[in-house]
Amino acid sequence: NAGVMQNPRHLVRRRGQEARLRCSPMKGHSHVYWYRQLPEEGLKFMVYLQKENIIDESGMPKERFSAEFPKEGPSILRIQQVVRGDSAAYFCASNSAGPGYEQYFGPGTRLTVT
Amino acid sequence: QQQVKQSPQSLIVQKGGISIINCAYENTAFDYFPWYQQFPGKGPALLIAIRPDVSEKKEGRFTISFNKSAKQFSLHIMDSQPGDSATYFCAASIIGGTYKYIFGTGTRLKVLA
């Protein structure tokens, strides 16, 4: 039973480019969460999605960031026109029952903006 | 009200000693408190979790103590081992609904051999 998968594991982008981060939840999980972890800091919630719906995006920056979880395929976190401050580890988590229950984390995507 | 405060930021313990990490919260609606362990370059993994209807939960060498009136909970690692060296995060959430996890800032634990 494969766990949460994220790709790419490492992503380097120049300032102004777009970054696309992918997350495939565990089999049977329909709830997906994205977190950002800055160096030496804790995880900050960004967005919570169910299939085809954004449930809570209160942690998402207002501009340049977007997320989707289509009916088919992985969840995508998109960052447009990246800046150096976007450099961080982005983690995806999933579960089958909603936010109050155990969330299973993927290995993360480490984004470096040069 | 949405913060979870975690301390200490870093901790060094001798092998065989007890590691204690503390967290405090403000939102009395929280009713699910997990602890996550994260090794460098890896995603967080659930270690142990507690609900406020119990004051203590033990799993192997790991124990959560929960004080509802003080709005505090702590992780105790007994007989700490070098393999326990990692960053530990507490979190809080609400069972059901759509409320998100709020994570503490993390404690970097180093267990000396």
Side-chain angles (χ1 to χ4, degrees), chain A residues 3-36:
Chain A
V4 177
M5 299 175 69
Q6 289 187 249
N7 66 81
R9 294 292 310 277
H10 300 274
L11 182 62
V12 179
R13 285 287 178 264
R14 291 186 178 152
R15 279 182 298 168
Q17 290 185 320
E18 178 180 284
R20 281 196 180 203
L21 288 62
R22 294 175 182 77
C23 168
S24 296
M26 284 181 69
K27 188 176 181 180
H29 288 185
S30 59
H31 302 255
V32 167
Y33 314 82
W34 285 94
Y35 295 85
R36 177 163 64 176

Side-chain angles (χ1 to χ4, degrees), chain A residues 9 35 37 40-43 45 48 55-56 58 91 99-103 105-107 110, chain B residues 32 36 38 41-44 46 89 93-101 103-105 108:
Chain A
R9 294 292 310 277
Y35 295 85
Q37 185 176 35
E40 307 300 320
E41 293 188 13
L43 295 110
F45 168 82
Y48 160 41
I55 307 301
D56 181 352
S58 58
F91 290 96
Y101 298 93
E102 179 181 356
Q103 296 181 17
F105 281 79
R110 277 147 188 86
Chain B
Y32 180 66
Y36 280 80
Q38 185 181 28
K42 305 293 185 183
L46 180 70
F89 294 97
S93 185
I94 301 172
I95 295 280
T98 60
Y99 202 78
K100 53 190 175 284
Y101 270 18
F103 278 90
T105 50
R108 183 176 289 183

Side-chain angles (χ1 to χ4, degrees), chain B residues 3 17-18 21 37 46-47 55 65 68 92-93 100 110:
Chain B
Q3 270 191 320
I18 302 173
I21 304 170
Q37 179 188 55
L46 180 70
L47 195 60
S55 60
S65 296
K68 189 174 181 178
S93 185
K100 53 190 175 284
K110 184 170 185 177

Side-chain angles (χ1 to χ4, degrees), chain A residues 46-65:
Chain A
M46 299 182 74
V47 62
Y48 160 41
L49 311 100
Q50 294 182 27
K51 285 283 188 181
E52 300 185 279
N53 285 302
I54 297 174
I55 307 301
D56 181 352
E57 56 181 347
S58 58
M60 288 274 275
K62 298 294 183 208
E63 298 177 351
R64 302 186 299 109
F65 285 72

